[in-house]
Amino acid sequence: MKKQFRIFLIIAAIVGYCNISFGQDSVYVKPRYWLYTRNYTNTMNTFEFDIFIKQDSINMDSTQFRYAAAQYFLNFNTGFANGGTLTYAIIASELPQAMWPINPTVFQNQLRLATNLPSFSNIAIVDTGGLVVVRMRLTNTVSWNFSEFINLRWRSANPNPFTKITAFTGLNNTVLTEIQDPARNINDSILTGINPDPVASMIPKEFELAQNYPNPFNPSTQIKYAIPVDGHVTMRIFDIAGREVMNLLNDVKPAGFYTVNFNGSNLSSGMYFYRLEVYSGNERKYMATKRMVLIK
């Protein structure tokens, strides 16, 4: 009888310990966080940005942020895509690769990243300094429409799908799912001072002369170019024999992205060349030539 009583006491103690442990898990305070898109850069047909997360604070009323998994969904302005076909890809991350979100896809007006599978062997601590979850690249088959803004917006609950973040409790490897605070999901990042982010106002990383669109054309087409420095810009049109047929642009421009409209109604059908030159003082900083076809 005494032996049975001792066994009962041991079982009761184990049950009591488990109740205390799971009781602590049940009152676990979800970590507060800030979630951003930031560090925007682009060329004529690529757009890159970071998905960045940091813990808000670590004090008596918050818990260490032990990141486990997440899915990230953003809406964007399809007018910025200019009718092109988009490809969405992860190009870098500060997380171990096993913790990267998966299946980057573009669906209608959504940029989607599905969740990785959380594993107790993969835990990343998110502190107040934060980390880059992923750096994303959106690639377009045509040039962006810089008269529009991309206007990234986090998708919150209702309607599905929406952004969800998962963290470990730190006790018993219990996982809390769907940690959300839409008020802290930011796109006009307080870290970068962009408010909001008009892509058209960004300074390019490099010189670029895009292929005119449409091409072939009749009789009008658009030519986009980018200059990362202030300079004197010229754009001239040449025929197949190398004769200059039009001086399309001759002006001082600040660094930025530009569109020039070309109308060939006074020219005959055939192949033409357009040349962009950029000067700073007497020094030529850039020159590029592309061909286009006028069909009447």
Side-chain angles (χ1 to χ4, degrees), residues 60-194:
M60 292 298 292
D61 63 347
S62 66
T63 308
Q64 184 184 55
F65 193 168
R66 306 177 80 230
Y67 182 99
Q71 65 182 35
Y72 300 96
F73 290 86
L74 288 155
N75 288 343
F76 71 100
N77 174 19
T78 56
F80 180 68
N82 207 22
T85 301
L86 302 178
T87 304
Y88 195 42
I90 298 172
I91 58 174
S93 174
E94 291 181 351
L95 290 172
Q97 189 161 3
M99 298 185 69
W100 291 11
I102 61 174
N103 298 334
T105 55
V106 181
F107 178 74
Q108 296 177 348
N109 69 329
Q110 300 171 30
L111 302 180
R112 294 182 169 187
L113 274 174
T115 185
N116 58 296
L117 182 65
S119 168
F120 301 144
S121 61
N122 292 312
I123 298 174
I125 304 302
V126 178
D127 58 22
T128 54
L131 61 80
V132 176
V133 177
V134 281
R135 182 159 183 83
M136 302 304 301
R137 177 182 292 150
L138 188 63
T139 303
N140 198 353
T141 54
V142 300
S143 296
W144 302 118
N145 177 10
F146 288 107
S147 64
E148 300 272 356
F149 298 158
I150 193 169
N151 195 18
L152 293 178
R153 305 176 306 284
W154 288 108
R155 288 178 63 87
S156 300
N158 299 319
N160 231 350
F162 51 91
T163 297
K164 302 176 184 179
I165 300 170
T166 302
F168 292 102
T169 65
L171 297 172
N172 305 316
N173 286 328
T174 304
V175 175
L176 289 176
T177 59
E178 298 184 18
I179 301 172
Q180 297 176 68
D181 188 349
R184 290 170 179 261
N185 293 355
I186 310 283
N187 293 302
D188 51 335
S189 171
I190 61 173
L191 298 183
T192 59
I194 301 172

